[in-house]
Amino acid sequence: RFDIKMPYKQLQVCNLKLSDAGIYTCEYGSHKVSTSLHIFKLTISLDGHFLQNEVPELTLMQNSSSPLPDLSITLFDSNNNRVTPKIQDKSRQKYIVNLKKLEAMDSGTWVCQVHSDSPLINQNISFAVKVLGFQNPDLERKYAAVDSTVILSWHLNSQKIKWKEGFTGQLNWKQQESANAHELFDFNVTAQGQLHETKKSNNFLFEIPERKPESTIEVKIPKVHFNHSGQYQCQLEYQGRHAQSKIELVVMKVSANPVGPLSRGANMTLTCQVSGPLPPNAYLRWERVNGTKMDIKNSKQHEVELEVNISAAGLWSCHLIEDSDRKISLHYHVEEAPVWINYVIIGASVGGSLMAFALGFLCIINGISWHRRRQRAKRMAQARQYLLENKTCQCQQ
């Protein structure tokens, strides 16, 4: 590992070790020149290969012939942002620090800046960090209307960071946090970056798109049902460690009661409903297209169902609004009943009233006749009783 480079008599030391630290002296005749070699060794846990949300451990060791200096350590991430490490163990010879939780965007070359005032040391040591994970947000919410088509996508960064190791994963779905999870499909990625997927669930109507961007996991629901809502979690596994990303699917539907054309003077109830809780900054809104402010109704915070009673036909829209942004809209066209139907209804109402009046009149007449017959029978009974009591007999000559 030691070599003399001519013509300047330079000493070259390859593959430095901590034990190579010390004082090196060059003698030329009666002249002696000495120099001190200070050596640092920087190691990172897991050989620099991490999953997102893992915390790397960095170890810095130093060796010198003179008393070891007290070092200050500053870290810069791959975006040249300063990172304040948490010192776990410190001695003059060894420094162990913990970094922050890693995200997929943290992949790249980091720099450890080592400084000492006595002796004066300013040394930058670079090291590589690869973070395998999702480029999606930690929790993504997606909205869909009933009977629409929705594609849920998870974007991996394995191609971007040129990940050379194979990993596996699976996509699970459950309707509620406490419900049982259903495995939709699993996948594995080879060292060449090829993605292989295997469908696991047959009782759920979904598809795996064939053409999609590289390092992308996708599931397609061609016709969304209201009960397809819930949590879709994509999970990675690499060397016994796990990372996951979740997409919350919220489904909206609208309905009317009664169903059918709206007659003049009648009322109808429109209902807009979403399948899951909404964030505090989201709400539902009913409004009539080209209507007035009187035709607008907003839901209260955390309400998942909004009803509106209407008496005017037209196109009504239900919007899901989050941070003043319309995430999804559903329309319901309320038709006005034809004129002849209104006349039929009016005629039926009048006819029904007349029939009720006639039936009532007949009931009254029958009641009076029945009352008279009862009174007559009562008088005859009283007369018979009177004759019996007085033993009176009438004879006809």
Side-chain angles (χ1 to χ4, degrees):
R1 296 186 298 116
F2 296 86
D3 186 26
I4 300 294
K5 296 185 68 176
M6 303 299 289
Y8 300 104
K9 304 297 191 292
Q10 293 176 332
L11 176 63
Q12 177 177 287
V13 185
C14 300
N15 299 324
L16 286 173
K17 301 178 181 178
L18 284 174
S19 58
D20 292 331
I23 298 176
Y24 291 76
T25 303
C26 179
E27 297 184 2
Y28 181 71
S30 60
H31 299 281
K32 290 185 180 181
V33 178
S34 299
T35 184
S36 178
L37 178 61
H38 196 114
I39 296 180
F40 297 102
K41 181 181 180 181
L42 182 69
T43 56
I44 186 170
S45 58
L46 300 176
D47 197 28
H49 289 70
F50 303 95
L51 298 179
Q52 65 184 90
N53 293 324
E54 290 185 332
V55 179
E57 183 180 271
L58 205 65
T59 302
L60 178 68
M61 299 184 68
Q62 64 171 335
N63 192 13
S64 174
S65 60
S66 57
L68 296 173
D70 189 12
L71 304 176
S72 64
I73 300 174
T74 306
L75 293 175
F76 295 89
D77 64 14
S78 57
N79 299 309
N80 204 30
N81 297 318
R82 183 168 179 171
V83 178
T84 302
K86 180 180 180 181
I87 298 179
Q88 181 178 343
D89 188 16
K90 176 182 177 180
S91 65
R92 288 295 179 95
Q93 187 177 8
K94 177 189 276 189
Y95 295 76
I96 301 177
V97 297
N98 289 332
L99 308 185
K100 64 173 184 175
K101 283 187 177 182
L102 295 176
E103 301 176 7
M105 64 183 66
D106 291 325
S107 294
T109 301
W110 289 48
V111 174
C112 176
Q113 191 177 81
V114 181
H115 175 77
S116 171
D117 291 328
S118 179
L120 183 59
I121 297 175
N122 284 302
Q123 184 71 32
N124 291 335
I125 307 174
S126 61
F127 57 99
V129 174
K130 289 188 175 183
V131 186
L132 177 64
F134 303 92
Q135 300 181 57
N136 302 55
D138 288 339
L139 176 59
E140 186 176 353
R141 185 175 286 104
K142 195 173 183 68
Y143 300 104
V146 167
D147 294 333
S148 67
T149 298
V150 65
I151 296 179
L152 306 179
S153 300
W154 288 263
H155 304 286
L156 297 172
N157 66 338
S158 56
Q159 290 286 342
K160 185 177 180 181
I161 62 176
K162 298 180 180 179
W163 191 270
K164 297 298 184 183
E165 303 290 337
F167 56 90
T168 62
Q170 60 184 16
L171 179 63
N172 300 319
W173 165 69
K174 55 184 177 180
Q175 287 188 283
Q176 297 176 353
E177 185 70 34
S178 58
N180 294 328
H182 304 277
E183 185 180 355
L184 301 185
F185 64 85
D186 59 17
F187 59 91
N188 63 81
V189 180
T190 65
Q192 291 75 29
Q194 295 177 343
L195 182 64
H196 300 282
E197 297 159 326
T198 304
K199 193 172 181 178
K200 292 292 185 180
S201 176
N202 293 321
N203 57 357
F204 184 82
L205 184 61
F206 74 96
E207 300 174 3
I208 303 175
E210 295 181 1
R211 295 185 178 181
K212 50 195 170 184
E214 290 183 341
S215 301
T216 300
I217 307 297
E218 284 187 351
V219 58
K220 177 181 178 181
I221 308 175
K223 192 173 183 180
V224 176
H225 296 168
F226 196 69
N227 58 357
H228 287 164
S229 62
Q231 301 172 0
Y232 293 78
Q233 179 173 282
C234 190
Q235 180 175 282
L236 295 178
E237 181 177 355
Y238 175 69
Q239 294 184 350
R241 294 132 53 201
H242 298 82
Q244 53 272 333
S245 177
K246 185 187 302 180
I247 295 179
E248 183 82 19
L249 179 62
V250 179
V251 182
M252 177 196 284
K253 66 178 181 178
V254 295
S255 59
N257 185 26
V259 179
L262 181 63
S263 303
R264 185 177 300 175
N267 290 328
M268 178 184 289
T269 300
L270 298 180
T271 303
C272 181
Q273 186 179 358
V274 291
S275 58
L278 296 176
N281 56 342
Y283 62 93
L284 300 174
R285 169 181 289 177
W286 268 117
E287 66 178 8
R288 184 162 68 100
V289 178
N290 297 327
T292 64
K293 292 183 178 179
M294 301 297 294
D295 298 324
I296 297 177
K297 184 178 180 181
N298 295 331
S299 67
K300 297 179 182 179
Q301 191 175 24
H302 301 305
E303 281 187 342
V304 297
E305 183 175 313
L306 179 63
E307 292 184 350
V308 59
N309 294 319
I310 65 170
S311 58
L315 184 62
W316 289 81
S317 298
C318 180
H319 309 290
L320 195 157
I321 302 174
E322 183 178 353
D323 288 331
S324 302
D325 182 23
R326 290 184 182 180
K327 294 295 184 180
I328 188 175
S329 298
L330 267 180
H331 308 291
Y332 194 93
H333 183 65
V334 180
E335 296 182 354
E336 187 175 1
V339 176
W340 66 270
I341 291 182
N342 292 326
Y343 288 152
V344 169
I345 294 175
I346 294 173
S349 300
V350 173
S353 300
L354 292 175
M355 185 176 291
F357 177 77
L359 289 174
F361 182 75
L362 289 175
C363 289
I364 292 173
I365 296 299
N366 290 332
I368 293 173
S369 299
W370 177 79
H371 182 71
R372 286 177 178 176
R373 288 195 300 270
R374 187 177 181 184
Q375 291 293 331
R376 188 182 300 115
K378 186 177 181 180
R379 287 195 299 268
M380 292 178 66
Q382 288 177 351
R384 285 195 298 269
Q385 185 68 26
Y386 176 78
L387 290 174
L388 290 172
E389 289 178 355
N390 291 278
K391 296 181 181 180
T392 301
C393 180
Q394 293 183 352
C395 298
Q396 182 178 2
Q397 294 180 354

